[in-house]
Amino acid sequence: TPIPTSTPDPTANWKTYSNTKYNFTFRYPPNYKVSLDNDLAIWLFDESSQETISIDLNSPKADPDPQDNDQSFYGFSTRVAFQNCPSDNVMTGESTYCDKVVDKSTIENPNSLNGYKLYLNLLGMNSGEKKVGPVLSYDVSSFTKAQLKSLELLFIPITNEPSSENSEFILDQIGGSLKFIEPVAIPIPT
């Protein structure tokens, strides 16, 4: 009789981040450190690879074009993702921007969060076009009583070369571990 073997969890030794304002948690690799934590974003920085992951907290007021005809969650996600594409590449001095989504898929994590995985087309006056991303965008409005509309996970700057397989794996695992928790009521002594 074959003996069943279990596959080790590649995220078993990961750290847990907790946000008490919006009551969510996620897991992230042990070599990353929280380098920014405010009402707009959480940044995770890995000193050895010099990579930064941004988890952007986007309120409905963060919509770069609230008058856009597409008021769906997908429309909001793409407008916010485009906003993360800088108009000037400080490394090369070239003017760049993202003009369209070149690949998208719907995502659902094990904790009932839905959204999109987006890849964008980056245009440069001298460098032409290239695919950048991914950006993971989760619809969190029902979990935050509409205080937040989305959480977007991406490597910054997004204009770097397309993420390695390991980088994409890290984003997918962080997104997969993202969950909202019920606030714990602390009884008041009488």
Side-chain angles (χ1 to χ4, degrees), residues 6 12 29 32 35 48 70 78 87 89 91 98 104-105 109 118 123-124 141 144 147 163 170 173 180 183 186:
S6 63
Y32 281 80
S35 64
S48 64
D70 184 356
T78 57
S87 58
N89 186 330
M91 302 298 284
C98 289
K104 82 168 184 182
S105 57
N109 84 358
L118 307 172
L123 286 174
S141 56
T144 64
Q147 288 182 303
S163 303
I170 290 170
Q173 294 303 308
F180 282 81
I186 301 171

Side-chain angles (χ1 to χ4, degrees), residues 28-107:
Y28 64 98
N31 52 312
Y32 281 80
K33 295 191 177 0
V34 176
S35 64
L36 174 76
D37 187 356
N38 62 34
D39 285 347
L40 301 175
I42 298 112
W43 283 6
L44 306 172
F45 179 69
D46 178 18
E47 205 167 286
S48 64
S49 70
Q50 297 294 298
E51 287 186 322
T52 300
I53 297 170
S54 182
I55 296 94
D56 294 346
L57 312 175
N58 300 304
S59 82
K61 296 175 188 171
D63 194 334
D65 187 4
Q67 304 306 315
D68 190 285
N69 287 338
D70 184 356
Q71 288 299 307
S72 68
F73 179 73
Y74 174 72
F76 178 83
S77 295
T78 57
R79 289 190 296 278
V80 172
F82 288 160
Q83 186 174 305
N84 283 314
C85 255
S87 58
D88 294 309
N89 186 330
V90 293
M91 302 298 284
T92 64
E94 180 180 27
S95 181
T96 59
Y97 65 97
C98 289
D99 68 334
K100 62 185 173 188
V101 173
V102 293
D103 192 9
K104 82 168 184 182
S105 57
T106 57
I107 52 177

Side-chain angles (χ1 to χ4, degrees), residues 59 66 110 132 179:
S59 82
V132 294
K179 67 179 172 183

